[in-house]
């Protein structure tokens, strides 16, 4: 199975309306598989300790993909898959990859449940709206954090030359070129010219224009594509896949199953998530990113999402050698105390479950530049510490953290935080004393909770 | 002597089982038995569909059930509406809505939830899908004799198309014909004001409440 065959089936598979695919295939198959494999959540567990449940969840997800296929949105056709095709693709998926160039190269690998090797850290603006004049500085501030392995989604350019960027416009292509140039400039300034830049922040097809070996994103930089929930793919993604596979870039595929959506509750959505992991590999994904969403909370540190992330990562870690990473989306914003509590809870459940980490970011950033490189450092430090914890050790810590913020995750009431300009000194690119004090204080507290920082 | 209560019960059960065929059959039975269709709407369909919306809000049921339940009601309602029309009467739906996600934007979940909940609450909803260009909103509004144009945008850049659709409506001299509401994560009441939309709602329940509270602002 290769991309050529997937692209062919996207044009020749059986035709179907999207709504029928989502309801009659995905939703109805999930309901049946939830019963068949007895996938259940007890309503309280945040970190899964049940290996058999994880294995059943893997089986159910594999079967969901085989019974549903992948929907090609624009051609309205279903890409159908056979069991041996799926099993072969999983067998030949890479279990490690080298990213970046020269002495800045880094290796990312598949991790097992409770793997003591350090997780790979993708850190950066993660698609927050970033203003033109702050783009390079802010990314340099992320890149100078040595603990971050790859710069992540260097920012969403909403405006350029005083104009809001209309997707697919000439201005959007110009933005893509600048995105490449400025991201490269940022890692150069930080003294890491070959640091991998995981990119996709400029929309749609225009995005391809940021590719250039000298000044832009290179063949050694992971390029991110996104599946459409649930189990759907569109022409833009297929087109970018065709190009980046040919260009030789490591392929980073993200998917965002929605808890409360077509998969139902956390149990059903966990099955959809496993199916999406495998679908991502079928489409050529070499690093697969899970970013589960929640229909009500719209973030990832609520109890449903914590449980799902822990269960699904364990299912994938135990039953495949997919290189997995999980995104971290919080309610609270950078600059608040709640922000690190939230991401720490999710980091511990993911890292002990075998995942690498991507993030963190607030679900609803306030205006431009609502990011903190210092908090990304703390995020990475927690993840490194988490690698020496077992699930049993992590579970009570996650529970304590969850209790602390759980009544404050409503996006309208959650702490507002501050933009980069108010958290950092823009000349020295160092966090200001207040922000540093917050970091020191929270880090001490996390140690106190038993995280071996 | 027909058993009215039994037929109402079948109507309710059809919605609760998300079963369009059963809803159509129960609605036909109601008509054939000479039950007043308006009474059938109220006692047969209205209550279970309200409960469905509430159960969805509590996360006891999920998107597929909400969509199937509101589809079942739509199918049953068509039968009742026909009967009312043939007697020269008219069912007043609360308003006809065309809803879609704007051009360049493929986020479909938010607008699907809003559409399903509006439909469940008595609006006639036509879902145009995603990546809907300005001209298509306007064309579809004409074809379906819509009262309300509802536009979803999830990206801070595609919000521009909400503005452009309103501008196009103005250029065509059609702005006053439609009540325009907008929504989506990056959309704010300020943006709605700035581009001259008639309203904004933060979520699906708020959208129902907002439209319910503004009836009379479209011809209906
Ligand atoms: C799921 C998701 C996706 C999925 C969409 C799957 C699908 N089938 O829809 C996928 C993976 C495909 C996707 C793709 C992209 N996404 Co996206 N996505 C999201 C995410 C995580 C959740 C959206 C969602 O479904 N929420 C659940 C529903 C129920 O909520 P909702 O949509 O907000 O709708 C509610 C209200 O807003 C309101 N509402 C919605 N519409 C309407 C309409 C009316 C008339 C009314 C009254 C009310 C209303 O009522 C709804 C119900 O309560 C958001 C993050 C977020 N916090 O919103 C990012 C987000 C919207 N995406 C984002 C981005 C950047 C992208 C991409 C550009 C990424 C990329 N580079 O490829 C692409 C865009 C592709 C494109 N051309 O559209 C950014 C946007 C940033 C920005 N500055 O604008 C966000 C905010 C994430 C982030 N923080 O970076 N995405």
């Amino acid at each position: 199975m290769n991309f050529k065959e997937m692209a062919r089936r996207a044009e020749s598979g059986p035709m179907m309306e999207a709504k029928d695919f989502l309801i009659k295939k995905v939703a109805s198959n999930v309901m049946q598989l939830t019963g068949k494999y007895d996938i259940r959540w007890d309503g309280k567990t945040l970190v899964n300790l049940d290996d058999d449940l994880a294995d059943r969840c893997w089986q159910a997800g594999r079967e969901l993909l085989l019974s549903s296929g992948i929907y090609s949105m624009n051609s309205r056709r279903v890409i159908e898959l056979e069991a041996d095709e799926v099993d072969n693709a999983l067998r030949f998926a890479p279990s490690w990859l080298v990213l970046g160039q020269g002495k800045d190269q880094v290796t990312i690998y598949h991790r097992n449940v409770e793997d003591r090797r350090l997780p790979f850290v993708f850190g950066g603006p993660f698609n927050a709206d970033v203003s033109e004049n702050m783009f390079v500085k802010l990314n340099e501030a992320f890149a100078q954090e040595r603990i971050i392995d790859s710069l992540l989604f260097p920012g969403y350019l909403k405006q350029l030359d005083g104009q809001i960027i209309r997707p697919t416009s000439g201005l959007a292509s110009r933005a893509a070129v600048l995105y490449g140039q400025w991201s490269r400039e940022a890692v150069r300034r930080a003294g890491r010219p070959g640091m991998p830049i995981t990119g996709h922040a400029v929309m749609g097809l225009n995005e391809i224009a940021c590719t250039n070996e000298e000044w832009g994103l290179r063949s050694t930089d992971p390029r991110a594509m996104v599946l459409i929930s649930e189990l759907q793919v569109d022409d833009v993604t297929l087109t970018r896949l065709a190009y980046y596979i040919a260009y030789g870039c490591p392929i980073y595929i993200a998917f965002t199953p929605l808890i409360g959506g077509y998969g139902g509750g956390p149990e059903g959505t966990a099955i959809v998530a496993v199916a999406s992991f495998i679908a991502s590999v079928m489409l050529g994904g070499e690093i697969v990113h899970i970013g589960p969403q929640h229909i009500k909370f719209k973030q990832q540190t609520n109890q449903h999402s914590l449980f799902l992330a822990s269960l699904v990562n364990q299912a994938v870690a135990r039953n495949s050698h997919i290189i997995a990473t999980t995104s971290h989306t919080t309610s609270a914003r950078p600059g608040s105390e709640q922000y690190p509590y939230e991401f720490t809870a999710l980091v511990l459940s993911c890292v002990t479950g075998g995942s690498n980490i991507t993030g963190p970011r607030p679900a609803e950033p306030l205006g431009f530049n609502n990011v903190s490189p210092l908090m990304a450092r703390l995020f990475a430090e927690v993840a490194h510490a988490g690698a020496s914890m077992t699930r049993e050790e992590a579970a009570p810590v996650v529970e304590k953290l969850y209790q602390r913020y759980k009544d404050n995750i409503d996006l309208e009431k959650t702490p507002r935080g501050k933009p980069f300009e108010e958290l950092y000194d823009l000349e020295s690119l160092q966090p200001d004393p207040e922000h540093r004090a917050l970091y020191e204080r929270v880090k001490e507290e996390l140690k106190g909770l038993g995280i071996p920082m | 002597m027909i058993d009215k209560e039994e037929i109402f019960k079948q109507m309710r059960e059809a919605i609760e089982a998300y079963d369009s065929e059963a809803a159509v059959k129960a609605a036909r039975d109601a008509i054939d038995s000479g039950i007043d269709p308006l009474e059938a709407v109220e006692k047969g369909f209205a209550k279970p569909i309200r409960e469905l919306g509430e159960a969805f809000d509590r996360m006891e049921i999920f998107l597929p059930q909400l969509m199937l339940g509101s589809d079942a009601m739509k199918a049953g309602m068509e039968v009742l509406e026909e009967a009312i029309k043939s007697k020269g009467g008219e069912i007043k739906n609360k308003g006809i809505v065309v809803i879609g996600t704007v051009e360049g934007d493929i986020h479909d979940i938010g607008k699907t939830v809003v559409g399903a909940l509006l439909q469940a609450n008595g609006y006639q909803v036509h879902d145009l899908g995603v990546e809907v260009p300005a001209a298509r909103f306007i064309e579809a509004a004409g074809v379906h004799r819509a009262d309300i144009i509802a536009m979803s945008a999830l990206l801070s850049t595609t919000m521009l198309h909400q503005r452009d659709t309103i501008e196009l409506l103005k250029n065509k001299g059609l702005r006053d014909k439609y009540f325009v509401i907008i929504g989506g994560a990056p959309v704010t009441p300020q943006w709605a004001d700035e581009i001259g939309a008639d309203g904004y709602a933060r979520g699906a329940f708020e959208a129902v409440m907002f439209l319910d509270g503004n009836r009379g602002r479209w011809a209906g």
Side-chain angles (χ1 to χ4, degrees), chain A residues 19 23 27 73 129 156 158 164-167 203 228-229 234 258 260-262 264-265 294-296 364 412, chain B residues 56-59 62-65 67-68 71 104 106 108-109 112-113 130-131 155-158 160-161 202:
Chain A
K19 188 173 169 187
I23 304 262
M73 263 177 79
D129 284 345
Y156 193 79
K158 172 181 174 181
I164 297 184
I165 300 168
R166 179 171 60 82
M203 319 182 74
I228 296 160
S229 38
D234 70 342
L258 182 70
Y262 298 106
H294 195 284
I295 201 159
K296 200 161 173 176
E364 278 187 10
E412 275 182 288
Chain B
F56 178 74
D57 192 42
R58 291 193 300 268
M59 290 195 74
F62 303 104
L63 195 52
Q65 290 85 355
M67 288 169 73
L68 291 173
D71 280 354
I106 56 174
D108 92 318
I109 295 161
T112 304
V113 175
V130 296
E131 298 192 275
L155 298 169
S156 47
T157 48
T158 54
L160 274 190
H161 293 298
R202 186 177 161 84

Side-chain angles (χ1 to χ4, degrees), chain B residues 142-205:
Chain B
V143 170
H144 297 296
R145 302 172 173 277
D147 305 301
I148 299 150
I149 297 179
M151 289 182 277
S152 178
L154 263 286
L155 298 169
S156 47
T157 48
T158 54
M159 280 161 63
L160 274 190
H161 293 298
Q162 296 175 326
R163 180 196 69 188
D164 289 357
T165 307
I166 292 176
E167 211 170 303
L168 191 62
L169 276 170
K170 282 187 191 147
N171 288 348
K172 291 181 180 271
L174 294 170
R175 179 64 190 88
D176 295 335
K177 208 168 160 195
Y178 303 109
F179 191 76
V180 179
I181 59 164
I182 60 171
V187 176
T188 58
Q190 292 82 325
W191 175 247
D193 270 353
E194 192 182 324
I195 66 173
D198 296 303
Y200 151 87
R202 186 177 161 84
F205 276 91

Side-chain angles (χ1 to χ4, degrees), chain A residues 22 73 125-130 153 156-158 167-168 179 199-205 207 224-230 232 234 236-237 240 254-259 262 291-300 329-330 361-365 367 411, chain B residues 56 63 97-115 117-118 130-131 148-159 162 180-187 199-208 210-211:
Chain A
L22 291 166
M73 263 177 79
F126 200 166
N127 277 344
D129 284 345
V130 172
F153 307 156
Y156 193 79
L157 279 168
K158 172 181 174 181
T168 73
Y179 174 85
H200 86 153
V202 186
M203 319 182 74
L205 276 179
E207 200 263 354
M225 263 63 62
V226 198
L227 299 187
I228 296 160
S229 38
E230 310 297 358
Q232 304 184 82
D234 70 342
V236 169
T237 292
R240 292 175 58 210
F255 64 88
T256 58
L258 182 70
I259 300 173
Y262 298 106
Q293 293 300 321
H294 195 284
I295 201 159
K296 200 161 173 176
F297 301 120
K298 299 182 181 171
Q299 49 90 281
Q300 286 172 255
T329 309
T330 59
R361 69 160 168 204
E364 278 187 10
L411 289 178
Chain B
F56 178 74
L63 195 52
V97 183
V98 291
I99 189 167
T101 303
V102 297
E103 186 170 340
D105 198 326
I106 56 174
H107 293 88
D108 92 318
I109 295 161
K111 72 103 184 73
T112 304
V113 175
V114 174
L117 216 59
L118 284 174
V130 296
E131 298 192 275
I148 299 150
I149 297 179
M151 289 182 277
S152 178
L154 263 286
L155 298 169
S156 47
T157 48
T158 54
M159 280 161 63
Q162 296 175 326
V180 179
I181 59 164
I182 60 171
V187 176
Y200 151 87
R202 186 177 161 84
F205 276 91
E206 290 86 346
V208 173
F210 176 76
L211 285 182

